[in-house]
């Protein structure tokens, strides 16, 4: 039974996809609830309040996936989660409209002093002159970060007769034209706009984007909005610029530390604020909860998630196409690990034909996951495979070749270390299945599944008979058998498959036979 913890007051109605699925138990609570055994939780759903730190991850050894019911993942230690093979998914567009609408409402409220005037009337006052505001019409709005929310804000601003200048280093001229905004440099946005609204994620690059220096480049009387993340606008610098009358006012939905406590900005009359409400609408909360619940339910069905932060994005169609190669790559990783049961320092995957047309980095990660499966104690998957390889000093290479060795595709794995090299080649034949077509330079042809024995031996009369006798004495039935050799009388290999696991003492007996070089048992 998979255990899901939905924290941060996730809208329960949105959890329906998980509640409806057999084999899943959903707990509503928090990571601090005494009644919840964190050790057993497989999936965690959070909003922005729960901080998914390495300390929390230490307390959740079964955790496999974190669902962020929203956009920003700055409350999640992505590097730590990735190291541990934990997938992170978010709900990128479920709260776009709500946040854009909230930003627009904040902008209107800021320009017309609505919160201050409201409080004054409630206080028994009637100060019509004190609260004279400014029109939005004809003003220039500067948007920093024209992603989903920034774009929706731009559309609304244009509908209100504002012109819009945008700074976003990743934005194309075509997209700016479609949205009717003017693509500008950061300096132009600072110097030429009346209101500046930030809509970037909080990253190393965006932290303190508006600071003592850049605020000095803004127009005197500028208004600032932050409905993205606390810290994009330096709070101390902002308070300073408001106090000295350079910035006319600010609307803030977010703070560096939430709740902000006794904060200098809260003491300023021209600062209006909400408690991180951008995404807090019934509609957005239903959207984001449903989106992450669907993702987690898909994950438990062993299908690809659509919006992972630390896995490549893949549509259902692409996933279906890549799936057989993914399986083959993983099995080849296991085969190489078992057949070449030695230390390795380099692993190279070479793809050809139809395999080379796919997301090969995903296949290489699957290969590594298979390779490490029986070698190390840590669970290895596509999320942490590269990290684990690096940590263990294994160089991972990836190549594409035009030579398919007569097949429609091949995946060739070369493992090297201590002066020795082992190579395996496999192919996927449509409507037929995966085949291993070469092992350590020997041509062979077998289906990689079940219980296998890989035997290296000398090509001498009687060897196969002796192996058959030991198996017969143990009443072990051979399902399939393939042999390969490079030249008569030289080294040769056998790959045998069985319907059930093999007794250890029988494998030991086989090892002691004359002309047997090595024997490796492989379970796929
Ligand atoms: N107040 C609230 O409740 C909410 C806040 N947010 C915040 O808003 C942010 C934006 O959300 P979306 O628009 O959905 O994300 P998005 O990913 O669609 O847009 C972000 C944009 O920022 C741009 N960008 C990145 N680095 C930049 C830089 N250094 N300078 C200028 N532009 C840069 C990107 O190119 C992208 O276009 C989220 O990361 C989140 O932190 C999101 C939802 C609700
Ligand atoms: O989606 C986001 O990035 C948000 O900031 C919304 O945060 P929340 O889920 O309301 O705590």
């Amino acid at each position: 039974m998979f255990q899901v913890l939905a924290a941060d007051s996730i809208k329960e109605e949105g959890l329906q996809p998980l509640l409806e699925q057999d084999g899943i138990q959903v707990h509503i609570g928090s990571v601090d609830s005494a009644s919840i055994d964190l050790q057993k939780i497989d999936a965690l759903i959070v909003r922005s309040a729960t901080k998914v730190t390495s300390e929390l991850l230490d307390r959740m050894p079964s955790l496999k996936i974190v669902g962020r019911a929203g956009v920003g993942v700055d409350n999640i230690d992505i590097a730590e989660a990735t190291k541990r093979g934990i997938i992170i998914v978010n709900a990128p567009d479920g709260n776009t409209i709500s946040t854009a609408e909230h930003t627009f409402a904040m902008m209107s409220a800021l320009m017309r002093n609505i919160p201050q005037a409201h409080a004054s009337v409630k206080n028994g006052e009637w100060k019509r002159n004190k609260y004279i505001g400014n029109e939005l019409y004809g003003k220039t709005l500067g948007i920093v970060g024209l992603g989903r929310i920034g774009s929706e804000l731009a559309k609304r601003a244009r509908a209100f007769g504002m012109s819009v200048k945008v700074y976003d280093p990743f934005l194309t001229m075509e997209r700016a034209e479609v949205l009717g905004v003017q693509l500008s440099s950061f300096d132009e946005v600072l110097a030429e706009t009346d209101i500046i609204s930030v809509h970037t994620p909080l990253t190393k690059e965006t932290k303190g984007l508006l600071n003592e220096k850049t605020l000095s480049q803004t127009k005197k009387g500028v208004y600032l909005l932050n409905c993205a993340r606390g810290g994009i606008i330096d709070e101390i610098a902002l308070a300073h610029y408001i106090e000295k009358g350079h910035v006319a006012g600010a609307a803030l939905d977010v703070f560096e530390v939430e709740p902000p406590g006794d904060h200098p900005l809260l003491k300023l009359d021209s600062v209006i604020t909400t408690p991180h409400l951008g995404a807090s609408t019934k509609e957005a909360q239903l959207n984001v909860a449903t989106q992450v619940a669907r993702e987690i339910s898909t994950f438990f069905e062993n299908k690809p998630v659509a919006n992972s932060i630390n896995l490549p994005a893949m549509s259902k169609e692409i996933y279906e196409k890549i799936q057989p190669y993914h399986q083959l790559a993983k099995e080849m990783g296991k085969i190489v690990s078992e057949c070449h049961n030695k230390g390795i320092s380099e692993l190279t995957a070479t793809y050809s034909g139809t395999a080379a047309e796919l997301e090969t980095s995903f296949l290489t990660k699957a290969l590594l996951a298979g390779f490490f499966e029986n070698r190390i104690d840590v669970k290895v998957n596509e999320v942490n495979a590269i990290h684990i390889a690096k940590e263990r000093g294994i160089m991972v290479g990836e190549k594409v070749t035009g030579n398919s060795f007569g097949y429609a595709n091949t995946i060739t794995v070369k493992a090297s270390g201590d002066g020795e090299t082992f190579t395996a080649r496999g192919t996927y034949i449509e409507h037929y299945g995966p085949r291993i077509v070469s092992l350590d330079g020997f041509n062979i042809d077998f289906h990689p599944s079940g219980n296998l024995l890989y035997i290296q031996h000398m090509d001498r009369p009687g060897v196969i008979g002796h192996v058959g006798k030991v198996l017969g004495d143990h009443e072990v039935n051979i399902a399939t058998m393939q042999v390969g050799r490079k030249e008569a009388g030289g080294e040769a290999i056998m790959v045998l498959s069985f319907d059930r696991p093999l007794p250890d003492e029988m494998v030991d007996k086989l090892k002691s036979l004359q002309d047997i070089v090595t024997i490796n048992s492989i379970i796929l």
Side-chain angles (χ1 to χ4, degrees):
M1 183 77 104
F2 289 118
Q3 307 290 326
V4 179
L5 170 58
D8 293 348
S9 315
I10 302 291
K11 195 166 177 70
E12 288 186 39
E13 202 186 328
L15 300 175
Q16 219 48 39
L18 289 168
L19 297 167
E20 281 165 3
Q21 199 173 324
D22 289 340
I24 295 182
Q25 190 174 3
V26 180
H27 307 265
I28 313 276
S30 97
V31 292
D32 300 316
S33 313
S35 58
I36 288 163
D37 184 356
L38 285 187
Q39 300 249 352
K40 296 204 174 116
I41 298 296
D42 301 283
L44 172 67
I45 307 180
V46 296
R47 287 177 61 187
S48 59
T50 299
K51 308 296 172 215
V52 184
T53 58
S54 75
E55 289 73 30
L56 178 62
L57 295 174
D58 283 342
R59 291 161 58 206
M60 305 187 78
S62 309
L63 194 63
K64 297 167 185 68
I65 183 165
V66 177
R68 162 55 164 122
V71 186
V73 285
D74 45 292
N75 55 322
I76 300 171
D77 189 334
I78 297 170
E80 265 306 317
T82 301
K83 263 193 218 167
R84 297 165 199 239
I86 298 166
I87 298 176
I88 300 161
V89 291
N90 70 348
D93 50 18
N95 61 26
T96 303
I97 298 295
S98 289
T99 311
E101 284 184 359
H102 189 72
T103 310
F104 201 87
M106 291 288 266
M107 180 164 69
S108 308
L110 181 67
M111 298 297 275
R112 300 304 294 268
N113 304 304
I114 290 172
Q116 299 90 333
H118 165 88
S120 156
V121 174
K122 288 251 173 162
N123 237 355
E125 298 169 352
W126 194 255
K127 297 185 167 173
R128 298 183 62 208
N129 285 336
K130 184 173 179 192
Y131 296 115
I132 288 177
N134 294 284
E135 284 184 350
L136 292 174
Y137 181 83
K139 300 290 183 304
T140 302
L141 171 65
I143 299 182
V144 180
L146 199 81
R148 288 171 293 256
I149 296 166
S151 302
E152 289 299 327
L153 178 68
K155 285 186 208 164
R156 283 153 182 76
R158 298 230 325 121
F160 268 64
M162 302 179 83
S163 50
V164 181
K165 285 185 194 280
V166 165
Y167 169 64
D168 188 326
F170 310 106
L171 187 72
T172 61
M173 202 61 112
E174 286 88 346
R175 174 92 181 123
E177 262 169 38
V178 169
L179 289 165
V181 300
Q182 198 182 326
L183 194 52
S184 313
S185 67
F186 187 44
D187 287 351
E188 282 164 348
V189 166
L190 292 175
E192 296 167 17
T193 60
D194 305 302
I195 305 165
I196 300 174
S197 190
V198 294
H199 295 282
T200 66
L202 178 67
T203 62
K204 280 204 299 294
E205 288 73 34
T206 62
K207 191 166 172 26
L209 200 59
L210 284 139
N211 52 34
E212 278 286 341
K213 179 172 176 289
T214 52
L215 282 174
S216 74
Q217 294 169 250
T218 57
K219 271 189 190 178
K220 185 165 168 27
V222 70
Y223 288 88
L224 293 180
L225 296 152
N226 187 358
C227 293
R229 271 300 172 276
I232 299 173
I233 305 177
D234 183 295
E235 291 173 351
I236 302 302
L238 176 61
H240 178 216
Y241 272 79
I242 294 175
E243 275 162 355
K244 69 178 187 180
H246 181 90
V247 172
L252 308 172
D253 183 44
V254 286
F255 288 84
E256 264 181 74
V257 175
E258 292 175 0
D262 183 22
H263 196 287
L265 281 167
L266 300 182
K267 299 189 173 78
L268 301 172
D269 195 40
S270 55
V271 171
I272 66 166
T273 180
T274 42
H276 200 147
L277 288 185
S280 293
T281 61
K282 288 179 186 148
E283 295 84 354
Q285 285 314 306
L286 181 59
N287 288 342
V288 293
T290 311
Q291 277 182 19
V292 290
R294 282 209 189 108
E295 290 274 62
I296 290 172
S297 146
T298 304
F299 170 77
F300 285 142
E301 286 173 349
N302 243 332
K303 293 189 191 143
V305 292
N307 292 302
S308 172
I309 305 294
N310 52 2
L311 272 181
M314 222 175 272
S315 67
K316 195 166 165 278
E317 291 70 34
I318 294 189
Y319 180 75
E320 274 164 13
K321 224 169 159 185
I322 206 166
Q323 179 60 23
Y325 299 89
H326 178 263
Q327 191 65 25
L328 171 65
K330 196 160 184 181
E331 275 151 8
M332 288 188 69
K334 278 196 216 169
I335 289 172
V336 170
S337 167
E338 298 295 330
C339 291
H340 189 64
N341 207 348
K342 302 186 176 151
I344 71 147
S345 52
E346 203 175 330
L347 213 143
T348 310
T350 307
Y351 301 91
S352 76
T354 46
E357 292 160 13
L358 299 164
E359 170 88 46
T360 52
S361 66
F362 187 61
L363 298 178
T364 305
K365 287 174 191 163
L367 198 154
L368 288 170
F371 179 81
F372 284 120
E373 192 171 296
N374 294 324
R375 288 200 172 215
I376 61 174
D377 241 4
V378 181
K379 59 176 177 177
V380 184
N381 59 15
E382 290 73 9
V383 175
N384 62 352
I386 297 286
H387 168 82
I388 299 274
K390 214 186 241 175
E391 201 179 66
R392 317 260 149 172
I394 298 176
M395 256 173 61
V396 180
E398 199 179 289
K399 291 184 195 161
V400 164
T401 172
N403 182 2
S404 297
F405 306 90
Y407 299 97
N409 57 72
T410 54
I411 301 179
T412 306
V413 188
K414 189 172 152 198
S416 328
D418 295 333
E420 287 187 51
T421 294
F422 185 91
T423 309
R425 179 168 301 127
T427 185
Y428 173 69
I429 304 171
E430 214 162 324
H431 309 301
Y432 188 58
R435 309 294 298 178
I436 302 300
V437 294
S438 162
L439 277 183
D440 208 16
F442 297 96
N443 289 331
I444 197 142
D445 180 11
F446 67 95
H447 181 69
S449 77
N451 302 287
L452 305 175
L453 262 193
Y454 169 71
I455 305 180
Q456 281 182 293
H457 60 97
M458 299 312 293
D459 182 31
R460 301 231 169 90
V463 177
I464 293 178
H466 292 144
V467 169
K469 174 145 189 346
V470 173
L471 295 171
D473 289 349
H474 287 80
E475 296 190 342
V476 171
N477 190 37
I478 303 174
T480 65
M481 177 173 176
Q482 302 287 327
V483 289
R485 66 177 188 182
K486 288 177 190 161
E487 61 190 55
E491 278 184 27
I493 61 166
M494 273 183 240
V495 177
L496 301 103
S497 75
F498 304 91
D499 300 324
R500 56 193 168 87
L502 302 172
D504 288 345
E505 82 273 9
M506 189 201 78
V507 177
D508 290 343
K509 195 123 181 220
L510 287 171
K511 282 182 184 162
S512 66
L513 290 177
Q514 210 187 340
D515 292 326
I516 297 291
V517 182
T518 58
I519 296 195
N520 296 86
S521 174
I522 307 165
I523 303 173
L524 295 176

